[in-house]
Amino acid sequence: MKFRTILLFGAPGSGKGTQGKVLGELPGFFHCSCGEVFRSLKMGSPLGKVFVEYSSKGQLVPDEPTIELWRQYIDSMQQVGRFDPVQDTLLLDGIPRNLAQARLMSETLDVGALIYLSCPDRERLVQRLQRRALKENRLDDANLEVIRRRLENYETESRPVLDFYGEALLRRVEAVQTPLEVLRDVVGILLSL
Ligand code: ADP
């Protein structure tokens, strides 16, 4: 059985996590942030070390271990009853993040929409990420060069995912609004599905 899924998509700093966290509190939705799953690993564990190695350089973790970790996380959430694929819509944030991941997940996901938090203003994203570095202890937000590399990698590796899912599933939301306004737009989309 495939998971009923909404993809939250957008550049680093576009606000996927902020929206996902709020919506994930609603009954009937389960929010999964791939970055958070990585950050919850013990940093001394083999995959934790791989995560630190790649993310501190602004790079994506290789696809196979990423998908495997995601799958294990979802299975464990099912086992403890936090995620019920029959009742719940999966809100995915930060995965799939490139074409290879989208292909690897195509057997597992039944994607109903891709909500694209669009922010063409890169400097705005840089500012948001720098502000986040002060509030959260994030290695990958701490350094301007790493931030710029992540934004470049987003353009080359992640943006093609938009085309993979195609116009029919795409719902654009203006990311440069207050979080509440973005939430209003996202809720409008979810209600229309
Ligand atoms: P951001 O969207 O701001 O980059 P995330 O919390 O989504 O923040 O991700 C942090 C880091 O975790 C990424 O830079 C990357 O190294 C790693 N990561 C997260 N999701 C994936 C993924 N699907 N594939 C590979 N690496 C990932």
Side-chain angles (χ1 to χ4, degrees):
M1 183 196 144
K2 290 188 176 187
F3 301 142
R4 193 168 57 244
T5 303
I6 305 288
L7 302 179
L8 292 170
F9 192 84
S14 61
K16 307 178 292 287
T18 302
Q19 299 300 318
K21 247 178 241 153
V22 174
L23 294 164
E25 289 297 316
L26 294 173
F29 288 100
F30 181 75
H31 171 229
C32 173
S33 152
C34 190
E36 270 178 28
V37 177
F38 274 125
R39 280 187 290 278
S40 72
L41 292 172
K42 286 202 184 75
M43 291 306 145
S45 66
L47 190 53
K49 284 184 188 157
V50 174
F51 166 65
V52 172
E53 181 195 333
Y54 284 87
S55 65
S56 64
K57 288 190 262 181
Q59 293 170 354
L60 295 182
V61 178
D63 298 324
E64 301 277 342
T66 297
I67 299 296
E68 200 183 311
L69 175 71
W70 173 77
R71 189 68 227 200
Q72 281 169 7
Y73 174 78
I74 289 292
D75 286 350
S76 68
M77 290 295 108
Q78 273 184 265
Q79 269 162 31
V80 298
R82 298 241 330 257
F83 171 52
D84 174 359
V86 176
Q87 309 278 347
D88 298 334
T89 297
L90 190 56
L91 284 172
L92 281 187
D93 145 15
I95 191 167
R97 219 163 163 124
N98 61 24
L99 286 177
Q101 293 182 9
R103 290 193 189 106
L104 284 168
M105 296 173 90
S106 62
E107 296 297 303
T108 320
L109 306 181
D110 172 16
V111 177
L114 183 155
I115 300 181
Y116 172 36
L117 303 182
S118 161
C119 177
D121 181 353
R122 256 203 196 196
E123 288 315 306
R124 191 66 172 251
L125 293 171
V126 172
Q127 283 168 12
R128 283 187 180 185
L129 293 170
Q130 285 182 309
R131 218 176 315 130
R132 181 165 80 181
L134 298 175
K135 286 207 283 182
E136 299 167 26
N137 193 14
R138 289 203 31 180
L139 280 176
D140 54 344
D141 284 343
N143 165 319
L144 195 56
E145 199 188 319
V146 175
I147 288 179
R148 294 207 182 279
R149 181 118 22 89
R150 267 164 57 218
L151 292 172
E152 278 161 26
N153 288 343
Y154 165 76
E155 291 297 334
T156 53
E157 296 184 52
S158 304
R159 195 180 271 281
V161 171
L162 290 175
D163 292 329
F164 178 88
Y165 289 102
E167 278 292 325
L169 295 182
L170 181 63
R171 304 286 183 280
R172 256 194 201 78
V173 171
E174 175 55 64
V176 188
Q177 307 185 79
T178 66
L180 189 60
E181 288 166 335
V182 175
L183 182 63
R184 175 200 56 205
D185 292 352
V186 172
V187 167
I189 290 166
L190 294 175
L191 287 172
S192 74
L193 294 175

